[in-house]
Amino acid sequence: MARRALIEREKRRAELSARLFGRRAELKRAIAAPSTDPAERADAVRRLAAMPRDASPTRRRSRDLVDGRPRGVLSRFGLSRVRFRQMAHEGQLPGIRKASW
């Protein structure tokens, strides 16, 4: 189980990135547009750099929804490989069965 503080930090990052998503997209659009005035572009770059780092969606980490494990997360299920295997063996995941050959 991951430390509670790390899970809470990830929740704060998710909330912050969702809240500032529109503003970041607007600034990035202004920076990328070739028709933007150079002074306006420099201002947009400055304002984007002034935003909190955790507002960037790339700083988020996918975690297991059950226990918060940060590595080996199967995004399709939202579970870590360890939890997925355990739940599949217990029959808690409908439609999932162990392959055999």
Side-chain angles (χ1 to χ4, degrees), residues 33-101:
S35 61
T36 305
D37 180 50
E40 197 175 310
R41 179 177 284 119
D43 181 52
V45 168
R46 204 171 14 261
R47 286 181 24 212
L48 184 65
M51 292 181 95
R53 282 187 172 185
D54 285 345
S56 174
T58 59
R59 288 183 60 94
R60 296 198 47 208
R61 174 101 183 174
S62 58
R63 289 186 172 269
D64 186 326
L65 297 175
V66 178
D67 65 0
R69 188 176 200 279
R71 298 188 181 235
V73 178
L74 304 172
S75 59
R76 183 174 176 184
F77 300 96
L79 300 171
S80 68
R81 60 184 177 77
V82 177
R83 179 72 53 177
F84 177 81
R85 186 170 187 269
Q86 175 192 358
M87 291 176 77
H89 279 293
E90 293 172 358
Q92 295 178 353
L93 300 175
I96 303 297
R97 62 185 180 145
K98 189 174 185 303
S100 58
W101 55 87

Side-chain angles (χ1 to χ4, degrees), residues 10 13-14 16-18 20-21 24 28 53-61:
E10 202 58 46
R13 280 183 181 158
L16 185 64
S17 66
L20 297 176
F21 181 79
R24 280 183 58 85
K28 288 175 84 74
R53 282 187 172 185
D54 285 345
S56 174
T58 59
R59 288 183 60 94
R60 296 198 47 208
R61 174 101 183 174

